[in-house]
Amino acid sequence: MHKKILIVEDDIHIANIIKMNLNIVNYATTVVHDGLAALEAIEREKFDLILLDVMIPKMDGFELMPKIQPLRIPVIFLTAKNSVYDKVTGLKLGADDYMVKPFEAIELLARVETVLRRYGKEESMMHFQNVQVNLDKREVTIHNEPVELTPKEYDLLVVLLKNKNIALSREQFLDKVWGGDYFGETRTVDMHIKSLRKKLHLQDYIKTIYKIGYRLED
């Protein structure tokens, strides 16, 4: 069952971009544009996470937080403000994270995943075609038959799965899989992608994006 995320954002363009990026990776989303509509939504429906803009009409994000807290729904604040005061205020009110606009889609998805995992609401199993990944055990199977991957191949596969249908650059793969301190060549990514395609029979699904990197496509 897809995780349900409430997007509370009065800028319709930004709200639609957030919704599109979350939908691409199979989150179910509801969008509202003011605090009162958000309050009605959480009273009517159960959500796994709320992305909450601070400066929204009718009831701002800081006012809304005390009404969300009893429901134990994790919250990530979204705001154009970059002051330490606002950040501290949001976190003191019980927000789980705080993002300053504008932000990259890949950063938003990573923050969402981290918060959901912290709350135990992120799936421990991932599926793609005939491939199954057990995140708790770090096991990969095809038709229930185990597939031996190196640690980096496994990490690379998980990054691809969690960013399905999103093109990532080689530099992004290096940062996510090998870490920001890695100074090797981007050719390392190409070699590991080639190995994953062969071991998991994903030649038709891991697409090469010219001059950029790779994308896992349905």
Side-chain angles (χ1 to χ4, degrees):
M1 188 173 178
H2 298 318
K3 300 302 176 195
K4 295 170 70 173
I5 298 177
L6 176 64
I7 303 164
V8 188
E9 168 62 68
D10 64 329
D11 186 313
I12 295 174
H13 176 66
I14 292 174
N16 287 339
I17 290 175
I18 294 172
K19 177 181 175 66
M20 178 187 70
N21 282 289
L22 291 173
N23 290 162
I24 285 173
V25 293
N26 295 321
Y27 290 114
T29 53
T30 298
V31 177
V32 295
H33 303 296
D34 65 70
L36 289 180
L39 188 57
E40 290 172 4
I42 63 176
E43 289 174 348
R44 182 182 66 243
E45 202 172 343
K46 182 173 169 49
F47 293 97
D48 296 292
L49 175 70
I50 299 174
L51 299 177
L52 179 59
D53 185 23
V54 173
M55 301 304 292
I56 47 176
K58 299 185 180 178
M59 181 186 294
D60 70 30
F62 291 155
E63 291 177 289
L64 192 57
M65 270 304 295
K67 302 180 185 305
I68 295 172
Q69 272 201 305
L71 302 174
R72 297 184 58 79
I73 306 171
V75 172
I76 298 176
F77 267 130
L78 309 177
T79 181
K81 291 187 175 182
N82 198 15
S83 77
V84 173
Y85 172 79
D86 288 320
K87 189 176 295 189
V88 170
T89 300
L91 295 174
K92 278 187 174 180
L93 284 169
D96 295 87
D97 206 346
Y98 193 107
M99 295 190 67
V100 178
K101 296 180 285 188
F103 44 77
E104 295 289 335
I106 191 169
E107 181 187 2
L108 174 65
L109 295 175
R111 300 283 190 97
V112 165
E113 176 196 321
T114 298
V115 171
L116 287 174
R117 186 173 292 281
R118 192 184 304 148
Y119 273 73
K121 294 185 176 183
E122 187 63 37
E123 300 293 346
S124 61
M125 295 293 296
M126 301 186 78
H127 309 265
F128 184 83
Q129 297 299 319
N130 298 318
V131 179
Q132 288 187 318
V133 180
N134 186 319
L135 296 174
D136 292 334
K137 297 181 178 180
R138 289 181 64 94
E139 290 179 351
V140 179
T141 58
I142 297 179
H143 297 301
N144 296 319
E145 291 295 322
V147 179
E148 290 297 324
L149 298 181
T150 68
K152 293 303 184 190
E153 287 170 353
Y154 171 86
D155 292 340
L156 185 59
L157 172 62
V158 171
V159 170
L160 285 165
L161 289 169
K162 289 181 176 178
N163 295 277
K164 189 169 60 175
N165 296 319
I166 297 175
L168 299 180
S169 70
R170 290 171 175 83
E171 288 75 18
Q172 286 173 312
F173 281 117
L174 282 176
D175 183 58
K176 285 179 166 292
V177 176
W178 282 266
D181 297 331
Y182 180 79
F183 294 106
E185 297 181 359
T186 55
R187 177 172 164 77
T188 301
V189 177
D190 300 331
M191 292 165 52
H192 281 76
I193 288 286
K194 182 178 179 181
S195 180
L196 272 185
R197 282 171 167 162
K198 183 176 180 180
K199 288 183 178 181
L200 301 176
H201 313 296
L202 293 177
Q203 289 89 343
D204 295 332
Y205 300 99
I206 302 178
K207 305 288 186 180
T208 301
I209 310 302
Y210 182 62
K211 288 189 175 180
I212 297 176
Y214 300 95
R215 178 175 62 226
L216 182 66
E217 290 185 4
D218 284 320

